[in-house]
Amino acid sequence: FADLSFLAHQCAQTDKYRPETCCIIGNYYSLKQQHEKAVLYFSRALKLNRNYLSAWTLMGHEYVEMKNVAAAIDSYRHAVNINPRDYRAWYGLGQTYEIIAQPYYSLYYYRY
């Protein structure tokens, strides 16, 4: 945690209004199991850049951790719309549908 914490502080001091900075801080809170705060920072990153693929994907991961399946699917779909070749979002969709016992949808997204 110490290295990520140091990086987050450095980035925030350099430019706290960068989407990358918000994602670093969001990752820090994610590692600390503070998923609501992580979502808050990923949302801030998306206010700064609506097409920031990593923020959408990471926010989907956080929503899965929070058991908010609908929001996770929405986040992953935004990521897929931005870059249809990003496997992380497709895999996230597969995992999410697996959680809600939709195996055919899950297989579809895993194969995509």
Side-chain angles (χ1 to χ4, degrees):
F1 293 122
D3 290 338
L4 187 55
S5 174
F6 177 75
L7 179 63
H9 283 288
Q10 288 292 106
C11 290
Q13 288 175 347
T14 303
D15 189 354
K16 65 181 179 180
Y17 297 109
R18 299 273 315 158
E20 295 85 357
T21 299
C22 295
C23 277
I24 291 168
I25 297 169
N27 274 323
Y28 171 76
Y29 284 118
S30 178
L31 284 176
K32 291 189 62 123
Q33 302 297 313
Q34 296 181 17
H35 304 295
E36 292 83 9
K37 276 191 173 180
V39 167
L40 174 73
Y41 278 94
F42 295 136
S43 296
R44 286 182 185 176
L46 292 168
K47 285 180 184 172
L48 297 168
N49 180 355
R50 294 295 297 165
N51 291 322
Y52 194 44
L53 177 68
S54 294
W56 283 115
T57 304
L58 291 168
M59 193 160 62
H61 297 337
E62 294 307 309
Y63 282 130
V64 167
E65 290 296 322
M66 296 166 59
K67 310 287 189 246
N68 187 342
V69 176
I73 290 170
D74 185 58
S75 295
Y76 290 134
R77 286 196 175 151
H78 272 93
V80 165
N81 286 338
I82 293 167
N83 182 357
R85 292 182 166 199
D86 183 58
Y87 71 92
R88 296 167 300 179
W90 288 110
Y91 188 80
L93 280 166
Q95 281 185 314
T96 306
Y97 279 103
E98 193 172 337
I99 289 168
I100 59 173
Q102 296 281 331
Y104 293 112
Y105 283 106
S106 184
L107 284 172
Y108 171 80
Y109 290 117
Y110 282 143
R111 289 180 181 162
Y112 204 90

